[in-house]
Amino acid sequence: QVQLVESGGGLVQAGGSLRLSCAASGSIVNINSMGWYRQAPGKQRELVARITSGGSTNHADSVKGRFTISRDNAKNTVYLQMNSLIPEDTAVYYCTAEVLVFTTTLSTGAYWGQGTQVTVSS
């Protein structure tokens, strides 16, 4: 029904920057909130940042001042600009979206991307 495709991960040195993108496609009527989570080895998945359809945002304390979430509603795309990266940011980053879809009926569901690896070397 809905596919989320992430891009932009990779290997970067500490202090560097990366920009993640996540594009949603499929039987989309409307996208409510979109967000980014991350999961480091041996740790639970945690929220990094979230943005509503109206543009209100919240960021985890650990990334405030360094990461910025944004979205382009016309493109059904969410971004995560990551600056001043530190080794502790190393994780698989997952995009998520709450999407109103229409197949045979209207329904709302949470969808996830496949994840993109971000590795920050010291």
Side-chain angles (χ1 to χ4, degrees):
Q1 292 179 333
V2 176
Q3 298 78 41
L4 300 180
V5 178
E6 299 128 332
S7 60
L11 173 64
V12 64
Q13 287 189 333
S17 298
L18 285 173
R19 188 190 193 212
L20 305 183
S21 300
C22 172
S25 62
S27 305
I28 298 170
V29 175
N30 187 53
I31 301 178
N32 298 322
S33 66
M34 303 184 81
W36 291 94
Y37 283 71
R38 68 185 180 186
Q39 187 166 21
K43 295 188 177 181
Q44 289 188 329
R45 190 173 297 189
E46 63 175 1
L47 174 68
V48 176
R50 180 183 289 139
I51 185 167
T52 68
S53 58
S56 297
T57 64
N58 67 286
H59 296 76
D61 288 343
S62 59
V63 306
K64 280 182 181 177
R66 300 188 299 120
F67 291 10
T68 302
I69 190 170
S70 62
R71 65 189 282 176
D72 185 332
N73 290 331
K75 296 181 179 180
N76 289 335
T77 299
V78 63
Y79 306 96
L80 186 68
Q81 179 65 46
M82 305 187 293
N83 299 328
S84 302
L85 284 159
I86 59 177
E88 290 76 16
D89 295 320
T90 295
V92 178
Y93 284 70
Y94 296 92
C95 168
T96 184
E98 185 183 71
V99 184
L100 179 65
V101 301
F102 181 81
T103 51
T104 58
T105 184
L106 284 171
S107 63
T108 299
Y111 296 86
W112 291 83
Q114 79 286 356
T116 186
Q117 177 70 46
V118 171
T119 302
V120 184
S121 63
S122 57

